[in-house]
Amino acid sequence: MTRPIILTGDRPTGNLHLGHYVGSLKKRVLLQNEDKYDMFVFLADQQALTDHAKESEMIKDSIANVALDYLAVGLDPKKVTIFIQSQIPELAELTMYYMNLVSLARLERNPTVKTEISQKSFGESIPTGFLVYPISQAADITAFKANLVPVGNDQKPMIEQTREIVRSFNHTYKTDILIEPEGIFPENEAAGRLPGLDGNAKMSKSLGNGIYLSDDADTVHKKVMSMYTDPNHIRVEDPGQIEGNMVFHYLDIFGHKEEQEEIANMKKHYQKGGLGDVKTKRYLIDILERELAPIRKRRLEYAQNMDYVFDILKKGSEQASSKASETLDEVKKAMGINYF
Ligand code: TRP
């Protein structure tokens, strides 16, 4: 029996934060532990280069850091193949063939690419590699014949475009070797997007409003103490607002079932007046630390042994490469360019 294949990746452009954790990492570990899938997780360094061409040092550092984040949250290299995109040349080769099946207009219509272009102030100089990254993403997915791709909602257009490329390839070359993947998207809004400490809709590196899996306990403490609450809740006895108050928002997300009653009582107390922000924040710190402390501990342990971490990535990349090269052979055969 062949098992369904899951593949997903991240651009290594900085350490991973709590938003990544609730939005995707936790789910990956759950899927891994279901033991029903063949799973690939990879560092999309080539994709990161499409808009950070001059920052290859930063990408290199991020490879190490994101790999540590992966291992720290519990991705297990015995169960999941963890690899680095640039070490799989077959992916670039597949991209080359798929490029001929996609029009420039179609790329320019991709809504995520469109949004990113408007945010990144490329001006007139959009790198070609950036515009075609959805095609390279289709290569990432199809090289491993992935059936399922767990990603954020912003990646829906990439999955859609991959499906189109698969249909186009199979139709053009009268084959069925490429598999149309399905996306697995966050179940609800809360899981899809963790707001930043400052109340901004998104936790992000560029906004400087995140808690990182690599933050030490002191930093987490300071960051929570600076969280956005209710600016009109000045004295403890003032009535306070729950809506838009990041402390309560995070408590809803990170509190366990057994704590829900207590959190509901705290909300009532806060709204009535008499519950101070320092108290609610201390309570949140305990709840976050319950999750973060073991992750931090494992992260520090792995960080002591970076040779071992890179060895995991090397072995994973070798395995991934052999799988991708099987697909590439089939692709070339289907296209009739297997000359010898
Ligand atoms: N575009 C994804 C992101 O920014 C990263 C990525 C690259 C990816 N290739 C992929 C995700 C293939 C899933 C499958 O998060």
Side-chain angles (χ1 to χ4, degrees):
M1 257 276 289
T2 57
R3 312 200 304 169
I5 295 170
I6 294 187
L7 171 130
T8 191
D10 300 283
R11 296 182 193 181
T13 55
N15 295 19
L16 301 182
H17 52 56
L18 271 183
H20 297 112
Y21 182 66
V22 295
S24 65
L25 297 171
K26 244 178 138 161
K27 174 92 183 177
R28 290 183 200 172
V29 176
L30 286 174
L31 289 166
Q32 158 192 284
N33 293 337
E34 279 181 40
D35 206 18
K36 286 199 303 219
Y37 308 100
D38 282 342
M39 232 172 123
F40 295 87
V41 175
F42 76 103
L43 297 148
D45 58 339
Q46 288 177 322
Q47 193 174 110
L49 282 163
T50 65
D51 64 334
H52 293 87
K54 300 192 175 119
E55 295 162 83
S56 54
E57 271 307 310
M58 176 279 285
I59 290 172
K60 188 177 175 197
D61 288 347
S62 302
I63 292 258
N65 277 309
V66 176
L68 283 173
D69 291 330
Y70 282 172
L71 296 168
V73 298
L75 285 180
D76 177 351
K78 288 194 210 71
K79 298 181 182 160
V80 176
T81 307
I82 304 175
F83 69 93
I84 306 177
Q85 186 185 31
S86 60
Q87 303 309 298
I88 323 296
E90 291 83 2
L91 299 178
E93 208 174 327
L94 282 174
T95 303
M96 194 81 207
Y97 301 131
Y98 296 168
M99 275 165 75
N100 304 323
L101 302 173
V102 181
S103 72
L104 193 52
R106 176 64 183 90
L107 285 169
E108 286 167 342
R109 265 202 317 273
N110 183 306
T112 298
V113 172
K114 252 182 161 163
T115 312
E116 287 175 319
I117 286 175
S118 70
Q119 286 167 350
K120 285 180 200 285
S121 57
F122 287 133
E124 293 297 297
S125 325
I126 301 166
T128 317
F130 185 79
L131 196 63
V132 302
Y133 91 70
I135 304 180
S136 116
Q137 191 154 337
D140 301 335
I141 296 171
T142 53
F144 300 94
K145 306 214 169 156
N147 306 96
L148 300 167
V149 184
V151 277
N153 289 319
D154 63 325
Q155 297 293 305
K156 271 188 185 149
M158 306 303 160
I159 306 292
E160 200 35 60
Q161 212 170 346
T162 299
R163 293 169 61 90
E164 277 175 39
I165 290 172
V166 167
R167 288 196 293 267
S168 172
F169 184 93
N170 285 347
H171 178 79
T172 304
Y173 300 108
K174 301 191 176 36
T175 177
D176 57 3
I177 55 165
L178 297 186
I179 307 288
E180 272 190 64
E182 308 275 347
I184 305 181
F185 302 104
E187 287 107 40
N188 52 50
E189 185 56 31
R193 176 167 298 193
L194 184 70
L197 298 168
D198 56 357
N200 192 295
K202 204 172 165 186
M203 183 174 280
S204 88
K205 187 178 66 163
S206 51
L207 296 170
N209 62 4
I211 293 181
Y212 288 83
L213 301 177
S214 46
D215 282 344
D216 61 28
D218 237 24
T219 307
V220 172
H221 186 97
K222 284 202 192 89
K223 285 182 174 175
V224 173
M225 284 299 166
S226 78
M227 263 173 113
Y228 182 83
T229 58
D230 170 5
N232 298 317
H233 183 245
I234 296 165
R235 289 165 311 167
V236 172
E237 41 313 348
D238 292 340
Q241 280 235 14
I242 303 302
E243 297 76 27
N245 185 320
M246 288 304 110
V247 175
F248 287 104
H249 191 102
Y250 278 42
L251 283 174
D252 284 339
I253 292 176
F254 293 96
H256 287 181
K257 253 208 179 76
E258 318 79 82
E259 285 141 5
Q260 266 159 20
E261 199 180 315
E262 186 166 3
I263 292 169
N265 289 336
M266 284 171 77
K267 286 183 182 167
K268 278 193 216 123
H269 193 178
Y270 193 85
Q271 283 169 315
K272 198 167 79 194
L275 179 59
D277 281 325
V278 171
K279 260 209 171 130
T280 61
K281 286 176 171 175
R282 287 225 170 100
Y283 183 68
L284 175 61
I285 290 170
D286 287 345
I287 285 184
L288 289 180
E289 278 296 314
R290 170 175 68 199
E291 203 109 346
L292 286 171
I295 294 176
R296 183 183 303 127
K297 182 164 173 277
R298 271 198 300 268
R299 203 179 187 286
L300 287 170
E301 283 162 11
Y302 282 113
Q304 302 275 317
N305 199 348
M306 287 313 290
D307 286 348
Y308 174 67
V309 173
F310 275 97
D311 197 49
I312 290 171
L313 297 175
K314 183 161 179 270
K315 293 214 171 81
S317 298
E318 282 160 9
Q319 273 176 35
S321 192
S322 89
K323 170 98 185 171
S325 100
E326 283 171 26
T327 305
L328 182 62
D329 283 348
E330 290 176 318
V331 159
K332 287 166 92 169
K333 191 160 168 240
M335 294 174 72
I337 56 171
N338 56 333
Y339 304 117
F340 312 111

